[in-house]
Amino acid sequence: MSAPSESVEPTTLVPEEPLIPAPPQPPVATAARPAIHTPEPQPARPPWRPPGPPNPARSLRPTRRGGPIPGLHHRPAVPAEPAKVAEVDRRLEAWAHEHDLFPAAWKGDFAGFQFGRAVVLQHPGAVDVERLTAAGKLLLAENLVDSCYCEAEEGRGGTPRGLGGRLVLAQAAIDPFHGAPAVEEQWRRGVQGDGPLRSYHQAMKDFAAFATPSQSDRFVHDIARLHLGYLGEAAWAETRYAPKVWEYLVMRQFNNFRPCLSIVDAVDGYELPEPVYARPEIQRITALACNATTIVNDLYSFTKELAGDPTHMNLPQAIAANERCGLKAAYLKAVEIHNEVMAAFEEESAVLAATSPLVERYARGLAAWVAGNHEWHATNTHRYHLPNYW
């Protein structure tokens, strides 16, 4: 903590008197001009804030420690086997240490995130621990890029300013650069010289070792979608733009968990063929699943985000600003929006599942991921606490 600086009175520079007085100047004739009415300056209109105390985060204390959000529609997850969770965590920690992905001081956050438990809950149909570990590596790398490049409040170098340049290089860590041999070597050295880039590159390499080229390419494109969402959110933060609710939800369709869900077939040991995956109705249920589980993240991380930055944009904040209501009413409205999206996913995926055993398997994998991700949020009290709204 730096010492307080002493206050210094400002110095006013007074011009010296001239040694010889200047001779008087004759008046300058000016043409008559019509009087211009200058309106009185109006005071700046303060930005609208939700009803309540100046710091919304303080009004949320004491908070509920955890458990499911009352009224939130969700399906039970397949329980995570403790031995499998421990083995995935052990492998992920060894991998992160081998590639020097983050300093030792962050190890507590690594443990608190519970990467192993997250992927075991999200992929109950995984073929083996190797594929679970690969999913965990991708999840860890995505969070490392988000934390170090995007999230200013986490204090790890993230900032909206200049984010596009950093994310272009991050995309190149999984979507290799092709050019003159000397420049390719510079690219390789650049990727290896940065922890977040290194994590992306190594995680993608391990995933591609068992995924088909089509599945790998699918993931690369979904990461590009994610980066586009990061940029949209960063632009609004930098310009202090308050999005409409529909605009916010559009941004979250890109800045969401889609890269994690797009690998469910690869982790489960099969492939949903690209011509099937690309069908509009398959794309729709994929997007609905991703959007529902991303709103879950907004709801469970609500108090955490407000504690770090009371102006952090999330779905309840967007609703409160647009509907001129308090945060509690906005939060409960966000629960309703989630339930509508979740209901659409379940209804439409059930219809599609009846058309093909392969589509049924894929839809089941999406549903399992959504259920497992909810369970991870609801029980991870190291990261999430619910507002005391019930």
Side-chain angles (χ1 to χ4, degrees):
M1 195 170 145
S2 59
S5 59
E6 297 180 356
S7 60
V8 179
E9 292 295 328
T11 302
T12 305
L13 298 178
V14 181
E16 297 180 354
E17 290 292 330
L19 297 179
I20 301 176
Q25 301 294 322
V28 179
T30 57
R33 295 176 180 174
I36 299 176
H37 173 68
T38 304
E40 291 293 325
Q42 298 297 318
R45 183 179 178 184
W48 183 84
R49 302 184 188 282
N55 185 346
R58 293 185 179 178
S59 70
L60 302 177
R61 301 172 185 159
T63 57
R64 296 163 58 101
R65 294 295 298 174
I69 294 171
L72 186 79
H73 177 58
H74 64 278
R75 297 292 183 184
V78 177
E81 298 177 26
K84 192 179 290 185
V85 169
E87 178 60 17
V88 173
D89 272 335
R90 185 192 67 78
R91 295 187 184 198
L92 289 177
E93 188 169 0
W95 177 74
H97 179 74
E98 175 189 356
H99 296 289
D100 191 23
L101 298 184
F102 50 78
W106 297 3
K107 190 173 179 180
D109 288 337
F110 170 85
F113 193 96
Q114 302 175 16
F115 287 98
R117 186 165 183 270
V119 295
V120 172
L121 283 169
Q122 294 158 355
H123 298 280
V127 171
D128 49 38
V129 173
E130 284 71 24
R131 298 196 184 209
L132 283 172
T133 304
K137 290 174 182 178
L138 293 173
L139 180 62
L140 192 159
E142 290 156 25
N143 278 272
L144 196 59
V145 168
D146 185 29
S147 179
C148 295
Y149 285 4
C150 307
E151 297 293 343
E153 60 265 27
E154 294 191 13
R156 292 173 176 167
T159 174
R161 188 175 181 82
L163 180 59
R166 296 190 296 278
L167 290 181
V168 163
L169 298 181
Q171 186 70 29
I174 64 169
D175 193 354
F177 169 72
H178 301 282
V183 184
E184 286 186 2
E185 179 58 29
Q186 292 172 349
W187 164 75
R188 279 188 287 270
R189 287 201 300 267
V191 168
Q192 292 304 316
D194 179 79
L197 298 184
R198 199 161 55 245
S199 70
Y200 254 8
H201 188 70
Q202 295 296 333
M204 185 67 203
K205 181 179 178 181
D206 291 346
F207 174 69
F210 65 81
T212 68
S214 176
Q215 288 171 323
S216 297
D217 191 61
R218 182 200 305 173
F219 179 81
V220 167
H221 280 82
D222 280 340
I223 284 289
R225 281 184 166 115
L226 176 65
H227 290 166
L228 181 61
Y230 285 165
L231 289 173
E233 183 179 34
W236 290 343
E238 198 169 12
T239 59
R240 298 184 181 276
Y241 176 71
K244 298 178 177 63
V245 173
W246 73 265
E247 292 174 325
Y248 176 80
L249 289 170
V250 165
M251 181 274 293
R252 283 300 258 164
Q253 179 164 300
F254 292 87
N255 178 5
N256 77 7
F257 288 111
R258 180 161 182 146
C260 301
L261 283 87
S262 69
I263 66 173
V264 294
D265 57 338
V267 175
D268 286 1
Y270 72 99
E271 180 179 17
L272 185 68
E274 185 63 28
V276 179
Y277 178 76
R279 281 163 40 188
E281 62 271 26
I282 300 297
Q283 288 293 297
R284 177 167 166 79
I285 64 167
T286 302
L288 287 170
C290 296
N291 291 345
T293 199
T294 299
I295 295 174
V296 162
N297 178 259
D298 271 24
L299 294 169
Y300 280 98
S301 63
F302 177 68
T303 58
K304 172 177 170 284
E305 291 173 345
L306 285 188
D309 176 10
T311 65
H312 187 97
M313 182 55 62
N314 52 44
L315 182 54
Q317 289 269 53
I319 293 171
N322 281 275
E323 299 192 4
R324 299 295 194 264
C325 64
L327 286 175
K328 178 179 178 180
Y331 189 95
L332 299 180
K333 175 66 175 178
V335 172
E336 294 177 6
I337 292 175
H338 164 271
N339 290 350
E340 291 176 8
V341 177
M342 188 67 176
F345 163 67
E346 292 184 336
E347 292 169 8
E348 296 182 33
S349 61
V351 172
L352 291 178
T355 64
S356 159
L358 196 59
V359 171
E360 188 276 333
R361 187 176 184 183
Y362 175 71
R364 183 161 27 98
L366 293 178
W369 201 99
V370 171
N373 195 46
H374 173 267
E375 177 69 12
W376 176 78
H377 277 83
T379 55
N380 190 339
T381 54
H382 174 83
R383 288 177 62 83
Y384 306 119
H385 306 100
L386 299 182
N388 194 18
Y389 286 163
W390 301 273

